[in-house]
Amino acid sequence: MEIKGKKIVLSTADFCDLDFICEVELNKDLWKYEEYVEKNIETIKSLYIDRINQKVRAYDFIVNEFSTGNKVGIGDIREYHGFENSWEIGYAILPQFQNRGFGSESAKLLINYGFKYLNAKKMVALCNVENAKSQLVLENSGMIRESIFKNAIFCNERWVDLYLFSVLKSEFKV
């Protein structure tokens, strides 16, 4: 499946994308605001194989630049267990492709997918309070900061807060 935007196309991740997914997942520059980053390639591949085979309720996409077809990042939607019929989005754009609007457009396309195909009533995203770029991506995609989880993750040798961003189906503008 492909979801076309103005600058990007999201394509459903498949087994042939595993090496690229590992490249993104192992890129140290992308994950400095995360509590834990998997470093074992086989573990990463195994996780994504289970997701591709739909052993877990998650949908993974490759973010492709529309004009060149270059793979520039990944995006996903997974069940959010905090609220009924809510889904969480995630995204990562490789550093050399950042600051071009690919993250915001990815987030917006993922949100729209959740509302349109998964019948979600609410889409959410979690963001380290120190990750200003990700906050901007979520705001640009139409989400609002709903709450803060104090001391939610242990990141970079200390406890940090997370923001919960969300948007309801009735609020979302395509």
Side-chain angles (χ1 to χ4, degrees):
M1 174 196 315
E2 287 190 342
I3 305 168
K4 294 182 180 176
K6 293 177 182 168
K7 297 179 182 181
I8 61 164
V9 176
L10 299 181
S11 59
T12 304
D14 205 342
F15 300 108
C16 63
D17 297 311
L18 288 174
D19 288 336
F20 177 73
I21 290 168
C22 287
E23 176 187 338
V24 174
E25 291 285 356
L26 293 170
N27 188 309
K28 288 183 271 182
D29 295 328
L30 292 175
W31 308 109
K32 60 186 168 191
Y33 297 106
E34 298 297 322
E35 182 173 32
Y36 173 76
V37 178
E38 182 59 59
K39 294 177 176 91
N40 182 289
I41 290 177
E42 293 309 313
T43 302
I44 294 168
K45 285 184 178 182
S46 178
L47 169 73
Y48 277 91
I49 287 169
D50 284 350
R51 289 167 63 132
I52 290 167
N53 286 329
Q54 289 293 290
K55 291 184 179 177
V56 294
R57 298 255 302 161
Y59 302 88
D60 294 293
F61 297 93
I62 304 300
V63 181
N64 305 282
E65 186 174 16
F66 193 84
S67 61
T68 64
N70 288 335
K71 293 178 181 182
V72 300
I74 58 176
D76 71 276
I77 301 174
R78 56 200 167 276
E79 280 187 301
Y80 185 72
H81 296 287
F83 305 100
E84 186 177 333
N85 205 22
S86 296
W87 292 77
E88 181 180 359
I89 65 165
Y91 48 85
I93 304 298
L94 289 169
Q96 64 268 33
F97 297 105
Q98 291 179 2
N99 301 314
R100 298 186 198 179
F102 298 155
S104 295
E105 189 170 354
S106 295
K108 191 176 275 194
L109 292 172
L110 291 166
I111 293 166
N112 190 55
Y113 179 88
F115 288 139
K116 189 172 181 179
Y117 296 103
L118 303 176
N119 198 30
K121 70 172 187 178
K122 184 176 193 172
M123 298 297 295
V124 302
L126 294 170
C127 175
N128 183 318
V129 297
E130 297 174 354
N131 191 344
K133 284 185 177 183
S134 193
Q135 290 175 50
L136 189 59
V137 164
L138 295 170
E139 290 166 356
N140 287 341
S141 71
M143 291 185 138
I144 58 166
R145 193 171 73 205
E146 182 175 307
S147 62
I148 185 169
F149 297 114
K150 296 285 191 176
N151 291 325
I153 61 172
F154 194 74
C155 180
N156 300 321
E157 306 296 321
R158 60 194 170 81
W159 288 98
V160 295
D161 302 340
L162 290 178
Y163 287 136
L164 172 71
F165 283 80
S166 71
V167 63
L168 296 172
K169 186 174 187 175
S170 61
E171 300 168 333
F172 185 66
K173 295 171 181 53
V174 180

